[in-house]
Amino acid sequence: MKAPEQYDPSKANSQDVPPAGGHKSPDRPAPAIPAGTPTITQTHKRTAKAHKKAFEWQFLLPKYWAIWLLLAIVFPMIYLPLRLQFWLGRKLGILIYKLAGSRRRDTLINLKLAFPEKPAVERELMAKQVFVNQGIGVFETLCAWFRPNVFTRTVSISGLQHLVNAQNEGRAVILLGAHYTMLDLGGLLCTQFFATDCMYRPQNNALLNWFIYNGRTSIFGKQISSRDMRSLVDSINSGHVIWYSPDQDYGLKQGVMAPFFGVPAATITASRRLAKMGNKNNPPAVMALHTYRQTPDNLPKGKRPHYHLTITPALDGYPSNDEIKDATRVNEILEGLIRIDPTQWMWFHRRFKNGPNGRTDIYK
């Protein structure tokens, strides 16, 4: 079921906008959470108790001071009401949009390639909203790590039966996600319904890698490095749900060219290999996951945000004998989910940086 469209200012009309100086309807308080309702942490499901990485004294070196300063500024803000965090996230996103020239340019190029039918002014509004959503996503992710209970009773899900049926058959599940702006909040909300492990690519910055990994230990039972095949095979053999995001450009060493939003894109084929691991007679089920904030970014006073998760049916006959066909199929599924609200996907990544003959020059 398609979630409601998020407000698009480019499509506003006179009926959408209240008259200047007109009567403003009073804010209605959000329904109170009934006493005794289990919190997020009380209903959290995980495959194992995750262990944190140890602190390293090198993190105190001057080259990391800028990160510590940023954390010192932002971290206390996650204890503000969510409405204020959303407001700050909007301001942060707009500021980054103005200051991060290369990321802004990459986003506009990506949107022009993916949505050539839209006028430039509309694509610019979409680009700004991408950064606004990402600014809010910073607070959503930090709260998911350190204040998860603020999201109690904020989530709904459709398609859960596909995953449950596969698990009841004793099958592992490869859950194909995407890089949505809410980041790890999507993982936290998923664990209200099922335990999941996740695959990740280690950060180049050692301090950021330590901080992100330890934050995620409060969500995922097991974090599997893309280089750790032994842990991956163990999770599949144990019948776990494994979250994997194949929506970025890692070149053609382990990928093929396949259309994404109508544009040839280097598409990693690891999901095909994952689907072949484990029990050959009862292989993993491969399905896609969409995480979506339905609430507008200007969260009304007294209201709680709401998020919706969608799980697709398992891909039938996947993998086939044609890796390009399989990559195209995965891209089409992810594209369909991203189109529910394109501005909640990270368009500032250089998704089309590689072509059939190596690096392209479209971002120059």
Side-chain angles (χ1 to χ4, degrees), residues 197-201 223-226 232 242-245 274:
D197 298 337
C198 77
M199 290 188 65
Y200 75 100
R201 184 173 66 88
Q223 298 180 62
I224 307 168
S225 168
S226 56
L232 174 60
I242 302 160
W243 182 334
Y244 174 66
S245 297
L274 298 181

Side-chain angles (χ1 to χ4, degrees), residues 6 74 77-78 82 85-86 89 132-148 150-151 154 180-189 219 291-297 299 305-307 344:
Q6 184 159 336
V74 174
M77 297 179 185
I78 71 172
L82 284 178
Q85 291 186 47
F86 275 37
V132 165
N133 286 333
Q134 185 57 82
I136 294 171
V138 170
F139 290 96
E140 288 173 324
T141 294
L142 289 173
C143 282
W145 292 346
F146 301 108
R147 293 190 66 207
V150 298
F151 298 112
T154 62
Y180 298 110
T181 53
M182 71 171 66
L183 297 172
D184 287 1
L185 174 56
L188 174 70
L189 298 177
I219 298 175
T291 61
Y292 173 60
R293 174 169 44 78
Q294 292 179 311
T295 310
D297 56 65
L299 188 63
H306 188 268
Y307 303 88
Q344 293 193 37

